[in-house]
Amino acid sequence: MATAILAAVYFDFWIAVYCLTLIQITEVFDIYLARRVQEDERTGSLRRVVINYYGLLLNTVLNASAICYFIFTIARQEGNTTHFTPMFFLFAAALFAAMNNHQVLAYIGVRLLIYTVTFLAIPIIDIVETDAAMMSPIWLEMFTVIFVLFFIVDSSLVYIKLYRNNLEQMETLKEEKEKATSALIAKSRFLSTISHELRTPLTSVSGAIALLDSGAMGELSDHQKRTLQIARKNAANLTELVGDVLDVQSLEADELLVNMTTVSCPVVLKSVYEANFAAVESQGRKLVLQDPLPELKISVDKKRLERIMAGLISNAVKFSGPDTTISLGLAERGDKVDLTVADQGEGIPEGQEDAVFSSFTQLDGTDVRKAGGTGLGLFLARAVLEKMDGTIRYDSVLGAGTTFTITFDKIKSQKEAAAVAAV
């Protein structure tokens, strides 16, 4: 457009309009063919891709020829002289081609060949028509054209090389991604298979321990009972680990199922309290339940929520000292319901949220850490809660304790829903 305006003002208006129209027609056709190629690649029509490929090649010849005809016409109107304006237009077109048409070697090759012929034709015609002397400006223009052509060809080769390198890097990244994906799938399948295979012997081991503990196989000495208690605890930990690993695999495959039902929050908290009270007390801590509990309802998978809260209580026991209190609470916050587990433990340093909720991670990651565990609990808790449209966060003060808060949307009672509808 810019060159056409200059040509229309300083040379010939109608030639500028005619050439600009011809160039724009080829540009529109070029866009049309390029979109056809993309559609054919998606549909897998190789024959049509090839046809459109040659169509683009033909259109490249027409477009380059139209540009060169335009520039050659301007040069002829100037007469036998140096042609700064048309030569600069042609140089700009060639440089633009080097930068933007280097992806397909045939396209850039054909375009630069047509530009080269025009570049050389303009000064050669002037030399022949004027029989110019070697030291004349016309010969200087000829040598300058040769220099410019070398620069354009060299630039094109640089762009082609960069493009090919980028393609190779993209292919390498694609291969590495495929390898990583394959490795991840293999790892997931391996862990899933191992976990499933471990469940059967673990069930047998737990059953045998329970049978021995019941006295059905005879009376046990105090030493045997203590040993059996250790075995029972380790079998339970291993069973829990297998369950966590299976849950992680289900989450990664987006196959974790949640059974959503409407539940009463006080019922859930009382169930959690009763299931964990004895275990907490046996380890020298005190478990207390807020009283009274407001009657609030939420939509959750009850068993999974109880398991998550039991895990939070277990963490509170691990990271708090003897004779401390662990509190279960419930609060209404607008349209939200907060279920809390608070301890009086050592607290969590600031800026550790990513580590707290990461898989296979504990803040004390040393081999001599005080609390055992795989570090899967809080990672699974957050992921499962997200599946249930819930959230989990914590507030902590070093040396004073930590409060974990699980939040859900409150299910409104009929009275509240009617009041909202009336407003």
Side-chain angles (χ1 to χ4, degrees):
M1 181 65 70
T3 57
I5 291 172
L6 290 173
V9 173
Y10 288 97
F11 298 102
D12 189 294
F13 175 81
W14 290 111
I15 289 178
V17 171
Y18 169 73
C19 292
L20 177 63
T21 303
L22 185 61
I23 292 168
Q24 290 305 312
I25 289 173
T26 60
E27 292 288 348
V28 170
F29 192 56
D30 193 73
I31 294 172
Y32 168 74
L33 288 174
R35 289 179 178 174
R36 285 282 300 275
V37 169
Q38 290 177 336
E39 292 174 3
D40 294 340
E41 285 178 342
R42 284 195 295 268
T43 59
S45 177
L46 180 60
R47 180 175 174 273
R48 290 179 61 185
V49 169
V50 173
I51 291 173
N52 289 324
Y53 171 85
Y54 284 109
L56 281 168
L57 184 60
L58 176 61
N59 193 64
T60 299
V61 173
L62 295 175
N63 181 265
S65 299
I67 292 172
C68 289
Y69 172 74
F70 176 43
I71 292 170
F72 185 80
T73 303
I74 294 174
R76 295 310 297 162
Q77 287 188 7
E78 286 184 323
N80 300 120
T81 181
T82 55
H83 305 284
F84 173 79
T85 299
M87 285 299 194
F88 185 79
F89 287 168
L90 190 56
F91 169 74
L95 188 60
F96 183 86
M99 292 189 297
N100 295 283
N101 299 137
H102 57 268
Q103 294 87 351
V104 182
L105 195 59
Y107 297 166
I108 183 65
V110 167
R111 189 175 288 274
L112 290 184
L113 178 61
I114 295 172
Y115 289 164
T116 299
V117 170
T118 307
F119 256 125
L120 295 173
I122 293 172
I124 287 175
I125 290 174
D126 288 339
I127 291 171
V128 171
E129 290 181 348
T130 62
D131 193 21
M134 182 64 68
M135 300 305 293
S136 68
I138 294 177
W139 272 101
L140 175 60
E141 181 180 50
M142 180 67 183
F143 293 129
T144 303
V145 164
I146 294 172
F147 168 76
V148 169
L149 285 173
F150 174 80
F151 171 76
I152 290 172
V153 171
D154 188 58
S155 298
S156 300
L157 292 174
V158 170
Y159 281 115
I160 291 170
K161 184 177 180 181
L162 288 173
Y163 177 70
R164 295 291 172 85
N165 288 339
N166 288 337
L167 280 182
E168 291 176 1
Q169 290 175 1
M170 288 176 64
E171 288 297 323
T172 302
L173 288 173
K174 185 178 178 181
E175 291 175 4
E176 293 299 324
K177 181 183 177 182
E178 290 175 352
K179 290 179 182 178
T181 302
S182 299
L184 180 62
I185 292 173
K187 181 215 70 171
S188 297
R189 288 177 178 172
F190 173 76
L191 288 176
S192 182
T193 300
I194 292 298
S195 299
H196 280 291
E197 292 298 321
L198 282 173
R199 275 191 162 179
T200 301
L202 273 175
T203 302
S204 300
V205 170
S206 298
I209 291 174
L211 189 64
L212 288 170
D213 194 36
S214 67
M217 305 297 292
E219 289 296 325
L220 301 176
S221 65
D222 291 341
H223 178 68
Q224 289 172 328
K225 288 181 179 179
R226 286 193 297 271
T227 303
L228 195 62
Q229 185 178 6
I230 294 171
R232 181 172 60 249
K233 180 179 178 182
N234 289 331
N237 290 339
L238 192 54
T239 300
E240 182 180 357
L241 173 60
V242 170
D244 287 344
V245 171
L246 287 174
D247 282 345
V248 169
Q249 302 311 309
S250 297
L251 283 169
E252 289 182 351
D254 197 24
E255 295 175 351
L256 185 71
L257 299 178
V258 290
N259 181 27
M260 302 294 284
T261 57
T262 300
V263 300
S264 167
C265 292
V267 171
V268 171
L269 286 177
K270 287 176 183 177
S271 175
V272 172
Y273 173 78
E274 292 169 358
N276 293 275
F277 176 80
V280 173
E281 293 285 329
S282 68
Q283 296 184 69
R285 280 76 165 171
K286 185 178 181 181
L287 183 64
V288 298
L289 179 63
Q290 174 186 322
D291 186 32
L293 292 169
E295 185 53 48
L296 300 170
K297 292 185 178 181
I298 55 177
S299 178
V300 294
D301 184 321
K302 184 173 180 290
K303 289 185 178 180
R304 289 193 180 277
L305 178 58
E306 289 178 350
R307 182 177 173 185
I308 289 170
M309 296 200 71
L312 293 177
I313 293 171
S314 176
N315 282 346
V317 171
K318 291 177 184 177
F319 297 102
S320 59
D323 300 322
T324 56
T325 299
I326 299 167
S327 305
L328 302 180
L330 176 64
E332 181 180 4
R333 184 167 49 85
D335 292 334
K336 305 291 183 180
V337 174
D338 292 337
L339 297 92
T340 59
V341 177
D343 63 50
Q344 299 172 335
E346 56 197 53
I348 301 172
E350 291 185 6
Q352 295 296 317
E353 185 171 356
D354 289 341
V356 167
F357 291 107
S358 295
S359 59
F360 298 104
T361 302
Q362 285 195 359
L363 295 184
D364 180 11
T366 64
D367 293 334
V368 293
R369 62 190 182 196
K370 295 181 289 184
T374 61
L376 279 174
L378 290 174
F379 166 77
L380 281 172
R382 183 164 68 173
V384 173
L385 286 169
E386 287 176 355
K387 293 280 287 185
M388 297 190 291
D389 296 324
T391 61
I392 183 171
R393 69 179 192 278
Y394 68 85
D395 299 290
S396 186
V397 178
L398 280 177
T402 302
T403 299
F404 279 90
T405 303
I406 297 173
T407 303
F408 289 98
D409 290 330
K410 181 182 70 171
I411 294 180
K412 295 182 175 65
S413 65
Q414 292 183 351
K415 184 177 180 181
E416 288 175 318
V420 172
V423 172

